[in-house]
Amino acid sequence: MRMALREAEKAAADGEVPTGCVIVEPKILEPEHDGHPAVYDEDPLVARILGRAHNQTEQLTDATAHAEMLAMSQAFAAKGDWRLKNARLYVTKEPCPMCAGGIVLARLETVVWGVSDPKRGGGTEFNIFAHPGINHHPEVRTGVLEVESLAVLQDFFRNRRT
């Protein structure tokens, strides 16, 4: 999550809404075999970074250039697959509905965010991650480094207003 915060700070420096995202895949200890699932090392220090990005909507003049979408594109290329099974996405602000939909389609295992978005949150306001009509439901963890994630957003908008 600290890497995602660094990405958010890069976005703020570029004049973008400061959201940062990192996608990691835990190290495989034992591959899937004979119907048994793979076993992964849960130590984040040995995880493989599949993608990292920050918001670039202004820079790229692209409404879809959110941190999560850009990081997922990198992760797809790194894995050589559109499925990000067993991967974890860390993002400083709750994904919007577009990004939440992409996360579900990509089959990410876990989504971790710092600050919830009470107006446009794809998980909290639109219930995308838990919607009964969706075929994949990632594990969701919220409030991770929330104070730090909120501070980056508040500083950015405070500076923008002045």
Side-chain angles (χ1 to χ4, degrees), residues 44-83:
L45 297 177
V46 297
R48 175 181 171 208
I49 297 170
L50 298 176
R52 73 174 103 197
H54 55 275
N55 279 357
Q56 295 183 44
T57 55
E58 300 295 336
Q59 182 180 354
L60 299 177
T61 60
D62 180 349
T64 67
H66 291 195
E68 302 95 323
M69 300 300 278
L70 297 170
M72 281 190 286
S73 289
Q74 291 174 12
F76 299 142
K79 283 198 64 126
D81 195 350
W82 61 267
R83 294 171 196 88

Side-chain angles (χ1 to χ4, degrees), residues 85-141:
K85 185 179 170 188
N86 301 314
R88 296 182 180 135
L89 181 144
Y90 295 86
V91 65
T92 56
K93 187 177 76 56
E94 178 180 1
C96 73
M98 172 186 68
C99 294
I103 289 165
V104 168
L105 292 173
R107 311 293 196 271
L108 278 145
E109 181 81 18
T110 307
V111 180
V112 179
W113 69 74
V115 178
S116 293
D117 185 342
K119 292 183 181 178
R120 292 175 284 291
T124 57
E125 291 303 305
F126 292 92
N127 195 39
I128 291 170
F129 298 126
H131 193 282
I134 302 248
N135 65 344
H136 175 73
H137 301 278
E139 176 185 350
V140 174
R141 297 180 195 162

